[in-house]
């Protein structure tokens, strides 16, 4: 019984503290953190193109070889988008390692190691990469 009382008191004390804490903070505070949360969610609900850019420049490290309009180590995104559009290719299946290179097959050895990485990506991520590549189409 004593234990229960102690727990009850502890609980009360705790909840009192909590209640104190709320008015102590500015009233705008919960709204602000709410806004932050929905902002975070908005980031998740980004367009495929935005997600693709994020992967391309982030964990994909694609940007180290592919630039928008100039050939670096790999073809430019514009060239890739153009070629895939013309040939009705599928960037997603290429990144899954399920279709052959059509842009610069002679240089495929340089691109191939990335397929190991892109193969592990979800369809959503690959479609996002595809959308990002196409967004560079002039
Ligand atoms: C080490 C440099 C390098 C990195 C990093 C790299 N690529 Fe490439 N990529 C190349 C080269 C070189 C080619 C040209 C060979 C080819 O066409 O397969 C190429 C070709 C491509 C093509 C055209 C394939 C085709 O049909 O010919 C796509 C699409 C592509 N890369 C997407 C990506 C994406 C997405 C990433 C990031 C996940 C990436 N690349 C990272 C070097 C790279």
């Amino acid at each position: 019984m004593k234990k229960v009382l102690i727990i009850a008191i502890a609980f009360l004390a705790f909840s009192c503290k909590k209640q104190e804490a709320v008015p102590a903070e500015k009233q705008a505070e919960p709204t602000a953190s709410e806004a932050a949360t929905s902002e975070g969610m908005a980031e998740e609900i980004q367009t495929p193109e935005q997600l693709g850019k994020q992967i391309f420049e982030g964990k994909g490290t694609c940007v180290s070889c592919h630039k928008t309009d100039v050939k670096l180590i790999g073809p430019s995104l514009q060239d890739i988008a153009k070629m895939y559009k013309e040939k009705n290719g599928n960037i997603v299946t290429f990144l899954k390692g399920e279709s052959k290179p059509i842009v610069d097959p002679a240089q495929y050895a340089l691109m191939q190691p990335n397929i190991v990485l892109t193969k592990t990506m979800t369809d959503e991520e690959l479609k996002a990469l595809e959308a990002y590549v196409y967004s560079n189409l002039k």
Side-chain angles (χ1 to χ4, degrees):
M1 189 59 196
K2 248 188 194 169
K3 255 190 193 165
V4 174
L5 255 176
I6 291 168
I7 292 169
I9 289 167
F11 182 74
L12 268 176
F14 183 69
S15 54
C16 278
K17 250 191 209 160
K18 238 183 166 181
Q19 270 174 358
E20 269 168 34
V22 175
E25 285 166 30
K26 269 178 273 159
Q27 263 222 318
E29 202 78 48
T31 339
S33 60
E34 238 178 72
T37 324
S38 51
E39 229 175 64
M41 276 163 73
E43 251 176 61
E44 273 173 45
I45 313 168
Q46 53 195 355
T47 64
E49 191 186 314
Q50 285 169 328
L51 175 64
K53 185 172 196 285
Q54 195 182 310
I55 299 169
F56 201 86
E57 293 170 356
K59 69 171 179 177
T61 66
C62 322
V63 77
S64 55
C65 291
H66 295 285
K67 296 281 175 249
T68 304
D69 51 5
V70 287
K71 182 175 160 47
L72 198 62
I73 296 164
S76 71
L77 290 176
Q78 281 173 359
D79 285 347
I80 294 174
K82 201 165 155 252
M83 185 69 94
Y84 267 82
K85 196 178 170 214
E86 271 171 20
K87 302 228 165 152
N88 207 6
N90 187 325
I91 294 177
V92 172
T93 51
F94 171 75
L95 294 175
K96 280 184 176 173
E98 289 165 7
S99 60
K100 291 202 159 68
I102 57 174
V103 180
D104 192 358
Q107 298 287 309
Y108 181 58
L110 286 166
M111 179 56 202
Q112 204 172 12
N114 300 291
I115 305 292
V116 178
L117 172 72
T118 51
K119 251 184 178 173
T120 67
M121 292 183 186
T122 64
D123 276 6
E124 192 200 355
E125 289 175 314
L126 294 176
K127 281 189 185 131
L129 279 172
E130 180 182 55
Y132 175 61
V133 172
Y134 276 123
S135 75
N136 288 279
L137 203 62
K138 268 195 279 191

